[in-house]
Amino acid sequence: MEWQEFERKFPQKLNEQQKEAVQSVEGPVLLLAVPGSGKTTVLVTRLGYMIYAKGIAPEKILTVTYTVAATEDMAARFASLFGTDMADRLTFKTINGICAGIIHTYGRKTGRTPFALLNDEKVIADTLAKIYQKTERTYATESDLQTVRTLITYIKNSMLTEAEIRELDKTADMKISAIYKEYNTWLREQKLMDYDDQMVYAYTMLQRFPELLSLYQDKFPYLCVDEAQDTSKIQHAIIALLASKTENLFMVGDEDQSIYGFRAAYPEALLSFEKNHPGAKVLLMEENFRSGAGIVKAADTFIQKNTLRHKKHMRATKDGEEVVKEIAVKTRDDQYRYLAAVAENCAAAQADRVTGNVTAGGMSDNVTEGRAGDVTGNVTADRADSMTRASHTVAVLYRDHECALPLIDLLERKEIPYRMRNAEISFFTHRTVLDVLNIMKLAMHSKDAETFLQVYYKINTYIRKEDALQIARISETQDISVWNAAVRYHGLSDYTMSSVQNTRMHMQQLLTERGDKAVKRILYYMGYQEYLERCGLKADKIEILQILGSREDSMAGLLQRLRELQDILMQKETDYNCHFILSTIHASKGLEYDTVYLMDVTDGILPAQMLKNPEKASREERETYEEERRLFYVGATRAKSELYVFTTGKPHSFCKELLGKEWQITLPYETKVELKKPDKVSRQGSGLKKPDKVSGQGSGQEKPEGGASAPVTCRVKRPVQ
């Protein structure tokens, strides 16, 4: 069947670049597809062209997708175009699905029983917790275990050597090399393998047993790979082996959208495709069908600043008066209050659509004239009409889940509907967060010797370990506070006793302070900041605690609110009818929204780190920074018609580079969103600046205990001595 006939029989609106990609069937081909360029349409159409025009049996084609959901979606889209019967004859699999088949085939051919797949997350977590405790001599939090799992996946997928694994110890805040070794030993002893091992074992088998490799090469002489930029080094190695006989390899991806480096994504495979596959063709799909011309132009100019990429340009196919603007606010808290107002307006407009009472945007009550210095917004009269469309979606995108916690807090207080993608609660079990909460818990319950042993060395008590154990014993046996126990214990020096008395005074002050003031006291006056610096730990989580604390009149209120937020995130049901969406940039990849707000576009958050000296930076440093740029690029290109970028008074390199002189605007805006103050929300800023003055002069006498028990249930056991 000739191309013209195929087009008539299966009509698709394809541009010239897309047509060329569809007709490239033989040999190694790399298709670089910019955001919104219709890569899935091309992939599916190409499969149909291979079958109907080139006469290739569908059983001979293997299509590799990144996720199970993508596998199902692609199979469904193919079925809708070319029929269910033909779709059933095609093979759509994830790389893990392929590797499971290879291992099973090996076992059947050799008569050997392969290791069983360990897919019980509780067993994995319990095992790693025991190994972590043994190695680190402390109990692992949920956040610690999550980090361990991520690092193990990274090690196996990156095919790191033993020396490279040991190098990770320097930056991982744990002895990951020892944990990794013991975990693998345990797996072998139990005759088990995890999902990452599936790929390691399958790769090893394909290398060691040529007949097994030949079997799969003959079975699937044509390979198609979707989302190639997210594929890891070992996954690329497996695919290369499978394709090595015929080299009929069709890979679709975009190194500009590679944002899973922490999961060992290997965009280098795209950059070296021609070198690794002699005679390869590199095709481009550069037309963006999603976003307006302004968004496309700004995003393309921005990503051109990366150097580790193929040369290509994203071009717009849409015209229009789309919006690309910076929203400059004084503090992070201002952006949360701003977005809460946007969400309220969105809900009101959606309610008006349901009732039929659509006004001029359904937001006329909340759109007023603004002036300089206000927390301003961009819900304009002409924009209001667009937001009344039934399908209009508004997405707030951010780097990490914790960035959204203060916004979620406001939305819940005001009972404003929102939809959240892939909620996560690791923030509440992060080590620095638990430390602060445990210090607060000890302030409320000074007889809690167990908590005392968790925090005494993290604040300025200057108590030795052996002395701390004796103080804890006295407190427990005599049923007195740890501070009174320290007084009765005669093993402390005068200097240490003075430090203990000062710490007790601060503990008393914590009970009288607003939540954010209590956090600042712990950080700056009780020595916790010094502890973080000694351990090389970041204080980024603390700022979120301060913002949340500014909305609570007391430390106890902050603890209670944290427990409530944790429960909310664990129990929240997804409302798919809600058009106001919260998501990490990672979770939004492959999706699109009418309006996108990018939060926290500030140096230190996005990007997380700056290149101090770009000219002298190592390749590794450049790769890290360029992934930061790619992350921002992916977020920006989710927007169809409106893109807003939040900045604070801090430097914001990415925003300046995105907007440039052509797009740069200054405050005030023409209009603003009327911001209603939620209950208990302070207007005070919440930056991590040392307060000029914190009251702390007390008598040194212990305050009687009382009140409810500490509401946060994240219990940390006594450390292993």
Side-chain angles (χ1 to χ4, degrees), residues 307-320:
T307 58
L308 303 175
R309 64 189 297 272
H310 287 277
K311 185 178 180 180
K312 58 183 179 295
H313 285 278
M314 182 167 55
R315 302 190 300 269
T317 59
K318 291 183 177 180
D319 296 322

Side-chain angles (χ1 to χ4, degrees), residues 629-644:
R629 185 181 296 280
R630 295 195 296 265
L631 183 65
F632 182 80
Y633 173 76
V634 168
T637 54
R638 300 311 94 192
K640 294 167 66 176
S641 58
E642 297 169 319
L643 173 63
Y644 299 93

Side-chain angles (χ1 to χ4, degrees), residues 477-542:
T477 57
Q478 299 185 21
D479 192 29
I480 60 176
S481 77
V482 292
W483 314 118
N484 283 342
V487 172
R488 296 186 183 186
Y489 176 66
H490 299 292
L492 302 180
S493 68
D494 291 343
Y495 179 82
T496 302
M497 181 56 68
S498 176
S499 299
V500 169
Q501 295 284 12
N502 191 54
T503 299
R504 180 167 65 174
M505 178 271 295
H506 283 300
M507 288 288 185
Q508 294 171 356
Q509 290 294 326
L510 289 177
L511 299 174
T512 67
E513 292 178 321
R514 198 175 64 188
D516 59 331
K517 295 293 186 181
V519 175
K520 288 181 179 180
R521 180 180 294 276
I522 291 169
L523 190 66
Y524 297 114
Y525 289 88
M526 298 181 69
Y528 188 65
Q529 175 70 43
E530 298 170 15
Y531 168 78
L532 294 178
E533 292 173 355
R534 289 198 305 270
C535 298
L537 300 174
K538 296 181 179 179
D540 52 328
K541 306 290 189 291
I542 308 299

Side-chain angles (χ1 to χ4, degrees), residues 584-602:
T584 63
I585 298 175
H586 288 95
S588 72
K589 191 172 176 294
L591 304 177
E592 60 184 36
Y593 309 97
D594 294 287
T595 299
V596 167
Y597 292 89
L598 288 177
M599 281 198 338
D600 292 326
V601 183
T602 298

Side-chain angles (χ1 to χ4, degrees), residues 359-374:
T359 62
M363 308 178 196
S364 56
D365 291 339
N366 290 329
V367 178
T368 60
E369 293 298 318
R371 65 183 188 276
D374 288 337

